[in-house]
Every structure is written in C-alpha cells, then in structure tokens.
C-alpha cells in the first residue's frame, strides 16, 4: 500500500505492516543497532539536531515526568514537542505539540513522507522507528522551541537515542524487560545511562547508591556537564495528600518551592515532580519563577495513571505494569483510596511478568478479589495464570479474558461504597478507560 494514502486509516495500515517490537517483544537484543534510525533521520535532514531537548528514561515514571517537564517548559513560555509511548487509545497521542495530539491531516502527511523515504533505505525500519522519526520530523515542521522525548525501552539502543539530549533524565531503575535489558539492575542502569551525551546535564531520580555510581561513571566517561541526584542535589521535601492530588515542597540547586499542587495521585508523583523540575531548571540553567512552577504543575494531566473515572463506586485505572509500579500503586491505595466497601481489581498482564509479585502488593493494600483478564496483545499472559496466582494469595478470583466484560464483572461485585481498580498493563487500562468513558450510563448511575 504505497502512498499516496487515502486518509489516515490507510497511512496507519501501512505503518502496521512494519515489525512491532512493542507487541512482539524479542527475547533478547540481537545485534543492537541505531543504523536504521540514523538513516531515517539523515533522509529527513536531521530534524532533531536543531531542537534543544530533554531525553527521559527510567523503569517507571517516564510518562508522568515527561508530562510535567512539558508543562513546566510551556509555563515558561516555550513551545514544546512531546514524544511518549505507548498510547492508550490512538497513535496520535504519542506526538503532541504544546500538549495537543497531532491532528489526522498532519499525521497522514508525515507518514506519507516516511513511506516515500523508506524506498531509499536498505533496511526496512520498525514501527517504533517510524513513529519516532515522524515525531522528530513533525516537531521540526512545527518549529518547536524544545522537545521532551521519552525513551521506549532501555536507553543505549533505543531509537530515540539519535536525539542528543541537552538534559538526560533517569527517573529510576528496577526490574523490567529483563529479557532484553539483562537480568541485573546494574546492567539495566548501564543501558539506561547510554542516553547521556557529551556536555549534557544529567538528572537522576531515586536510585540505590551503587546504581547512581554507574550513572555517574558513564557521565564522566562521555564528558557530561553535571550530574544532579535526587536527595543530594534536589528533592521533594514535603509530600502530602491534597484535594485532587498532592501538595509538595520541592527544592533544587537553584531554588525552593513551597506547597505546590500536583494534581496527580500517589506519593511517587511528588518525586516525579522533583525530577521534572530539576530537569527543566537544568535545561534553562537557572531557577524557575515560583509562579511558573505553580502554573506548570497545576496544569499536568496524565491519563491512565491513578486516574479516577468514577466515584460511586470508585473506579480507578492505573498503568502499573511491573512489580515496582504495583508497589507504588498499593501505597497510593492505602494512603488515598481507602474505601468502606469491597475492593476488586481487574488485572491483565503481559508475558514475562511474575503474577504473584504483581498481585501481592494489591492484596496487602486491601484488594480482596480480582477478575483476571487478557490484554489485547500477542504478548498477553493467559488469564488462567493470573487467576492461579490470585488464588494462591487467598483472593477471590474470577476469569474473564475480555477486558470490557471483566470490568462489568468487577462492577457487579462491589457496592456504591466499594472500589474497582484496573491495572497490570496499559493495554488493559486503555480498553477499560475507553469503555468507561464511552458508556451511555455514567459509572456513578450504573446498577441503581
């Protein structure tokens, strides 16, 4: 289906003919290379070379940190191109200009451009490489002042690493994607530290000292300009529950910001806010005005991350997809979302996860029942495997592979004073969120 494309659907169909490592994760990283990505950006005229950027990696918190950094740059008067992954509902969500997703016409145009350039390449690019190139090309066309680029996987060999980030951010390191990144935290940290560039300013979130040492060694080896570490050079001093989110006090090498509202749930978002603020101050090499910090963080929205979609019963969706993410979710449930009634969770996992390690934090936070489902992905773990782990933990267990039906089963188990939680994979969260938002009957009114 060569161009010209007959609209966006035709262009996306072409995109989907390319290998998609997000859906079919390789068991190992064989012959890693950035050559295809470099060939693409060369054909595009190196669009990333002229746009200052913040490059963000980490096991968890990349999406939220990217959203906060974008909001702070916007509040300080810059136009911003933001590239994130994966999407919840539509590919266009991944490419945003000043917080607004790319429109159909522009996305069709940039994919058409790439389809034509692909014919000049020796090696066919992957789907993610094409989307990354599309973002960089569109940002250059829009003449953005700055970019916030979220790594897809790892760092060193991620195709976003053609971007030479003025600021390199590592939010944290825990076990995830070990089939690709390796079985040790030290190896994962070293891979993620591969985004550090000569002259870049490095911002490191909460991380064990031995892992910080790995990052600092890489920064020294490539000639980074500076390294700021959470708890040493910046941090979140006060982090309290507030109406609609968290009230935090943040400090950086350049300033201190008292009682700032972050309209996101979970104490980990206070830490993410500190990382984002440090990244933006490193980007500008100066302190931000207090009103800029307050305005920027107040505007942050991150769909699918501890997002409340209903109140009676409480409907909460969260993209926690690894053990560390589930632990953070469990802490938030205990601190912010205790309910009087039954707490039931709709959980679907991708293969490679340990279902017991994923479910145990939920059980400790008061979830008493799960409905095991399956993400719409070739990498989906069978609902039966999730259910078996739930039974071993003493939870009441139901199996319903279809996410939307699983949501209805969970909804029928709790009263108006209960909680329905959806977690385990962004594929599951995306399907449940779309269903809840499209429902003809508001969640609060259902079943009355």
């Amino acid at each position: 289906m060569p161009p010209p494309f007959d609209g966006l659907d035709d262009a996306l169909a072409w995109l989907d003919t390319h290998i998609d490592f997000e859906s079919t994760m390789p068991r190992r990283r064989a012959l890693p290379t950035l050559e295809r990505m470099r060939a693409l950006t060369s054909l595009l005229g190196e669009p990333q070379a002229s746009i200052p950027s913040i490059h963000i990696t980490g096991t968890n918190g990349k999406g939220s940190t990217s959203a906060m950094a974008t909001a702070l740059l916007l509040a300080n008067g810059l136009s911003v191109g933001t590239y994130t992954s994966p999407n919840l509902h539509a590919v266009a969500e991944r490419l945003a200009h000043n917080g607004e997703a790319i429109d159909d016409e522009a996305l069709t145009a940039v994919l058409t451009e790439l389809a034509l350039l692909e014919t000049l390449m020796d090696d066919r690019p992957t789907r993610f490489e094409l989307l990354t190139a599309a973002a960089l090309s569109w940002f250059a066309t829009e003449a953005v002042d700055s970019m916030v680029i979220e790594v897809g996987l790892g760092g060193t060999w991620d195709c976003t690493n053609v971007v030479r980030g003025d600021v390199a951010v590592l939010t944290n390191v825990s076990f995830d994607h070990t089939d690709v990144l390796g079985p040790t935290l030290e190896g994962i940290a070293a891979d993620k530290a591969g985004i550090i560039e000569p002259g870049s300013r490095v911002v490191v979130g909460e991380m064990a000292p031995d892992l910080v040492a790995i990052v600092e060694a890489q920064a020294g080896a490539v000639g980074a300009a500076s390294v700021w570490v959470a708890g040493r050079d910046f941090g979140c001093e006060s982090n309290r529950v507030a109406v609609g989110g968290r009230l935090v006090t943040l400090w950086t090498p350049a300033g201190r910001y008292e009682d700032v509202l972050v309209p996101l749930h979970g104490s980990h978002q206070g830490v993410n806010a500190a990382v984002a603020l440090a990244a933006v101050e490193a980007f500008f090499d100066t302190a931000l005005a207090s009103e800029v910090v307050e305005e920027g963080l107040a505007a942050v929205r991150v769909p699918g991350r501890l997002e409340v979609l209903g109140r009676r019963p409480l409907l909460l969706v969260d993209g926690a997809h690894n053990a560390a993410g589930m632990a953070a979710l469990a802490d938030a449930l205990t601190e912010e979302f205790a309910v009087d009634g039954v707490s039931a969770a709709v959980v679907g996992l991708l293969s490679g996860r340990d279902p017991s390690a994923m479910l145990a934090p939920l059980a400790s936070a008061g979830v008493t029942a799960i409905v095991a489902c399956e993400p719409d992905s070739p990498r989906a773990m069978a609902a039966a495997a999730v259910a078996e782990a739930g039974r071993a933990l003493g939870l009441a267990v139901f199996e319903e592979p279809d996410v939307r039906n699983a949501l209805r089963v969970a909804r029928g188990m709790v009263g108006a004073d209960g909680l329905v939680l959806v977690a385990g994979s962004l594929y599951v969260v995306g399907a449940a969120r779309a269903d809840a938002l499209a429902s003809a009957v508001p969640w609060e009114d259902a079943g009355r």
Side-chain angles (χ1 to χ4, degrees):
M1 53 185 75
F5 297 128
D6 185 19
L8 181 59
D9 288 345
D10 199 19
L12 291 176
W14 166 80
L15 180 68
D16 289 340
T17 65
H18 296 78
I19 189 167
D20 183 4
F21 284 133
E22 289 179 291
S23 294
T24 55
M25 185 72 68
R27 297 294 295 177
R28 66 187 67 176
R29 179 175 270 154
L31 299 176
T33 178
L34 291 175
E35 289 311 305
R36 287 187 306 272
M37 195 64 210
R38 289 185 177 129
L40 266 176
T41 54
S42 176
L43 289 168
L44 288 166
E46 306 296 350
Q48 77 284 4
S50 60
I51 308 173
S53 62
I54 297 175
H55 199 186
I56 300 177
T57 189
T59 304
N60 290 305
K62 296 189 299 293
S64 297
T65 304
S66 295
M68 293 183 201
T70 296
L72 289 167
L73 291 169
L74 282 170
N76 210 52
L78 296 191
S79 65
V80 190
T82 309
Y83 179 59
T84 57
S85 61
N87 52 273
L88 280 174
H89 306 300
V91 166
E93 297 167 19
R94 301 181 181 216
L95 291 70
H97 179 201
N98 293 348
E100 295 295 326
I102 188 171
D103 62 37
D104 290 358
E105 183 179 358
L107 183 54
T108 302
V110 73
L111 291 177
T112 299
E113 175 187 36
L114 290 170
L116 293 169
L117 292 177
E118 183 185 50
T119 64
L120 305 176
M121 297 178 63
D122 295 329
D123 237 352
R124 199 168 195 239
T126 67
R127 184 176 185 272
F128 190 73
E129 286 168 340
L130 288 166
L131 284 170
T132 304
L136 299 176
S137 178
W138 184 55
F139 296 157
T141 299
E142 293 293 298
V144 300
D145 300 317
S146 57
M147 298 188 298
V148 175
I149 305 293
E150 178 187 341
V151 166
L153 175 65
T156 303
W157 299 110
D158 187 76
C159 66
T160 65
N161 210 21
V162 295
V163 172
R164 300 181 66 84
D166 297 82
V167 179
V169 178
L170 292 84
T171 59
N172 49 58
V173 170
S174 57
F175 289 109
D176 202 8
H177 300 301
T178 53
D179 286 344
V180 179
L181 301 180
T184 68
L185 291 179
E186 292 80 7
I188 295 171
D191 190 293
K192 293 183 186 301
I195 70 167
I196 299 171
E197 299 283 350
S200 65
R201 296 181 172 90
V202 182
V203 174
V204 183
E206 292 189 337
M207 205 176 292
D210 57 330
L211 302 182
V212 172
I214 291 171
V215 176
E216 291 187 312
Q218 175 66 9
V222 302
S226 61
V227 181
W228 292 352
V229 178
R232 185 187 75 190
D233 305 296
F234 69 92
C236 178
E237 184 174 298
S238 175
N239 189 345
R240 309 190 302 277
V241 176
V243 176
R246 312 291 301 188
L247 201 61
V248 300
T249 294
L250 308 174
W251 58 277
T252 70
R256 180 181 174 83
Y257 307 88
E258 302 268 1
D259 293 337
V260 179
L261 176 65
V262 177
L264 302 173
H265 298 287
S267 61
H268 58 285
Q269 296 292 12
V271 178
N272 289 337
V275 173
L277 175 58
V280 174
E281 290 199 344
F283 181 85
F284 286 116
D285 196 24
T286 188
L288 297 183
S290 331
E291 56 270 23
V292 166
V293 175
E294 292 170 4
E295 176 190 338
L297 292 180
V300 172
R301 301 292 182 270
V302 189
R305 276 73 166 186
L306 277 169
E307 182 182 14
V308 176
L309 296 178
R311 294 287 182 183
R312 290 180 55 81
L314 184 62
L315 173 59
L316 185 67
V317 299
D318 186 65
H321 59 280
N322 52 41
M326 281 295 204
L329 168 58
D331 288 344
L333 291 178
T334 302
E335 184 182 18
E336 298 187 48
F337 296 106
V339 296
D340 294 328
V342 172
S343 293
V346 173
V347 179
L349 305 177
L350 296 179
S351 61
R353 309 298 183 195
D354 178 345
S356 295
M358 295 287 281
L359 295 178
L362 301 185
S364 69
V367 171
T368 57
I370 65 164
V371 183
C373 64
E374 295 176 4
D376 182 14
S377 167
R379 295 164 53 208
M381 180 181 293
V386 180
E388 182 181 359
R391 291 189 189 96
L393 290 166
L395 299 170
V397 174
F398 300 84
E399 289 183 43
E400 176 46 70
D402 182 81
V403 175
R404 294 162 184 82
N405 290 337
L407 187 61
R408 288 166 177 75
V409 171
R411 186 186 222 163
M413 295 166 56
V414 306
D417 59 349
L419 163 69
V420 172
L421 168 70
V422 181
S425 164
L426 280 172
Y427 292 100
V428 172
V429 166
R433 187 176 187 273
D435 186 75
L437 294 176
S439 176
V441 181
W443 181 269
E444 289 85 348
D445 299 328
R448 291 186 182 177

